[in-house]
Short mmCIF file of all heavy atoms in Angstrom, two decimals:
data_model
loop_
_atom_site.label_atom_id
_atom_site.label_comp_id
_atom_site.label_asym_id
_atom_site.label_seq_id
_atom_site.Cartn_x
_atom_site.Cartn_y
_atom_site.Cartn_z
N MET A 1 0.83 -1.20 0.00
CA MET A 1 0.00 0.00 0.00
C MET A 1 0.87 1.25 0.00
O MET A 1 0.51 2.24 -0.62
CB MET A 1 -0.94 -0.01 1.19
CG MET A 1 -1.79 1.24 1.28
SD MET A 1 -3.07 1.10 2.48
CE MET A 1 -4.47 1.13 1.43
N ASN A 25 0.01 3.80 19.53
CA ASN A 25 0.75 2.98 18.57
C ASN A 25 0.40 3.31 17.12
O ASN A 25 1.28 3.49 16.28
CB ASN A 25 0.52 1.49 18.83
CG ASN A 25 1.23 1.02 20.07
OD1 ASN A 25 2.13 1.70 20.57
ND2 ASN A 25 0.82 -0.12 20.60
N SER A 26 -0.89 3.41 16.80
CA SER A 26 -1.30 3.70 15.42
C SER A 26 -0.85 5.08 14.98
O SER A 26 -0.40 5.26 13.85
CB SER A 26 -2.82 3.59 15.26
OG SER A 26 -3.23 2.26 15.30
N CYS A 27 -0.96 6.04 15.86
CA CYS A 27 -0.56 7.41 15.54
C CYS A 27 0.95 7.48 15.30
O CYS A 27 1.40 8.13 14.36
CB CYS A 27 -0.98 8.35 16.66
SG CYS A 27 -0.94 10.08 16.18
N ALA A 29 2.90 4.99 14.35
CA ALA A 29 3.21 4.27 13.11
C ALA A 29 2.81 5.10 11.88
O ALA A 29 3.54 5.15 10.89
CB ALA A 29 2.49 2.93 13.10
N PHE A 30 1.65 5.76 11.94
CA PHE A 30 1.20 6.59 10.83
C PHE A 30 2.17 7.76 10.63
O PHE A 30 2.55 8.09 9.50
CB PHE A 30 -0.21 7.12 11.09
CG PHE A 30 -0.77 7.94 9.97
CD1 PHE A 30 -1.31 7.33 8.85
CD2 PHE A 30 -0.75 9.32 10.04
CE1 PHE A 30 -1.82 8.09 7.80
CE2 PHE A 30 -1.26 10.09 9.00
CZ PHE A 30 -1.79 9.47 7.88
N LEU A 33 5.27 6.56 8.98
CA LEU A 33 5.02 6.21 7.58
C LEU A 33 4.98 7.45 6.68
O LEU A 33 5.68 7.52 5.67
CB LEU A 33 3.69 5.45 7.46
CG LEU A 33 3.27 5.02 6.07
CD1 LEU A 33 4.22 3.97 5.52
CD2 LEU A 33 1.86 4.48 6.09
N VAL A 63 -4.99 12.44 14.40
CA VAL A 63 -4.40 12.58 13.07
C VAL A 63 -5.34 13.48 12.29
O VAL A 63 -6.54 13.22 12.20
CB VAL A 63 -4.26 11.21 12.36
CG1 VAL A 63 -3.86 11.40 10.91
CG2 VAL A 63 -3.26 10.33 13.09
N MET A 75 -9.06 12.06 12.40
CA MET A 75 -9.27 10.69 12.87
C MET A 75 -8.68 10.49 14.25
O MET A 75 -7.70 11.11 14.63
CB MET A 75 -8.60 9.71 11.88
CG MET A 75 -9.23 9.72 10.50
SD MET A 75 -8.34 8.68 9.32
CE MET A 75 -7.06 9.80 8.78
N ASP A 76 -9.32 9.59 14.97
CA ASP A 76 -8.84 9.18 16.28
C ASP A 76 -8.06 7.88 16.08
O ASP A 76 -8.66 6.82 15.87
CB ASP A 76 -10.03 8.96 17.22
CG ASP A 76 -9.60 8.54 18.61
OD1 ASP A 76 -8.40 8.27 18.83
OD2 ASP A 76 -10.48 8.47 19.49
N PRO A 77 -6.72 7.94 16.15
CA PRO A 77 -5.93 6.74 15.88
C PRO A 77 -6.07 5.64 16.92
O PRO A 77 -5.65 4.51 16.69
CB PRO A 77 -4.49 7.26 15.80
CG PRO A 77 -4.52 8.57 16.45
CD PRO A 77 -5.90 9.09 16.39
N THR A 78 -6.70 5.94 18.05
CA THR A 78 -6.95 4.88 19.02
C THR A 78 -8.06 3.95 18.51
O THR A 78 -8.18 2.82 18.95
CB THR A 78 -7.35 5.44 20.40
OG1 THR A 78 -8.53 6.22 20.26
CG2 THR A 78 -6.23 6.26 20.99
N LEU A 79 -8.87 4.47 17.56
CA LEU A 79 -9.98 3.68 17.00
C LEU A 79 -9.70 3.21 15.57
O LEU A 79 -10.50 2.47 15.01
CB LEU A 79 -11.27 4.51 17.01
CG LEU A 79 -11.69 5.07 18.37
CD1 LEU A 79 -12.88 6.00 18.20
CD2 LEU A 79 -12.00 3.94 19.34
N CYS A 80 -8.61 3.68 14.97
CA CYS A 80 -8.32 3.39 13.57
C CYS A 80 -6.95 2.73 13.42
O CYS A 80 -6.00 3.08 14.12
CB CYS A 80 -8.29 4.67 12.74
SG CYS A 80 -9.75 5.70 12.85
N SER A 81 -6.86 1.84 12.46
CA SER A 81 -5.56 1.24 12.15
C SER A 81 -4.85 2.10 11.11
O SER A 81 -5.48 2.95 10.45
CB SER A 81 -5.76 -0.18 11.60
OG SER A 81 -6.46 -0.11 10.36
N VAL A 82 -3.57 1.88 10.91
CA VAL A 82 -2.81 2.63 9.91
C VAL A 82 -3.36 2.36 8.51
O VAL A 82 -3.56 3.31 7.74
CB VAL A 82 -1.30 2.30 10.01
CG1 VAL A 82 -0.53 2.95 8.87
CG2 VAL A 82 -0.76 2.77 11.35
N PRO A 83 -3.66 1.10 8.14
CA PRO A 83 -4.25 0.89 6.81
C PRO A 83 -5.57 1.64 6.61
O PRO A 83 -5.83 2.17 5.54
CB PRO A 83 -4.47 -0.62 6.74
CG PRO A 83 -3.46 -1.19 7.67
CD PRO A 83 -3.35 -0.18 8.78
N PHE A 84 -6.39 1.72 7.65
CA PHE A 84 -7.66 2.46 7.53
C PHE A 84 -7.40 3.94 7.31
O PHE A 84 -8.03 4.58 6.46
CB PHE A 84 -8.52 2.25 8.78
CG PHE A 84 -9.80 3.03 8.75
CD1 PHE A 84 -10.89 2.56 8.05
CD2 PHE A 84 -9.91 4.26 9.40
CE1 PHE A 84 -12.09 3.28 8.00
CE2 PHE A 84 -11.08 4.99 9.36
CZ PHE A 84 -12.18 4.50 8.65
N MET A 85 -6.46 4.51 8.05
CA MET A 85 -6.15 5.94 7.91
C MET A 85 -5.60 6.24 6.51
O MET A 85 -6.00 7.23 5.89
CB MET A 85 -5.17 6.39 9.00
CG MET A 85 -5.81 6.44 10.37
SD MET A 85 -4.73 7.14 11.65
CE MET A 85 -3.72 5.72 12.07
N THR A 86 -4.71 5.39 6.02
CA THR A 86 -4.17 5.61 4.67
C THR A 86 -5.24 5.41 3.61
O THR A 86 -5.26 6.10 2.60
CB THR A 86 -2.96 4.71 4.39
OG1 THR A 86 -3.32 3.35 4.59
CG2 THR A 86 -1.77 5.08 5.26
N GLN A 87 -6.17 4.50 3.85
CA GLN A 87 -7.28 4.28 2.91
C GLN A 87 -8.17 5.52 2.85
O GLN A 87 -8.61 5.93 1.77
CB GLN A 87 -8.09 3.06 3.35
CG GLN A 87 -9.28 2.77 2.47
CD GLN A 87 -10.13 1.64 3.02
OE1 GLN A 87 -9.95 1.18 4.14
NE2 GLN A 87 -11.07 1.19 2.22
N GLN A 88 -8.45 6.13 3.98
CA GLN A 88 -9.27 7.34 4.00
C GLN A 88 -8.57 8.47 3.24
O GLN A 88 -9.21 9.21 2.48
CB GLN A 88 -9.54 7.78 5.45
CG GLN A 88 -10.37 6.81 6.25
CD GLN A 88 -11.73 6.59 5.63
OE1 GLN A 88 -12.47 7.53 5.39
NE2 GLN A 88 -12.06 5.34 5.35
#
Side-chain angles (χ1 to χ4, degrees):
M1 178 170 246
N25 288 343
S26 288
C27 196
F30 183 80
L33 180 67
V63 171
M75 295 175 276
D76 181 352
T78 59
L79 304 173
C80 306
S81 65
V82 173
F84 177 81
M85 289 186 278
T86 56
Q87 178 186 10
Q88 295 300 305

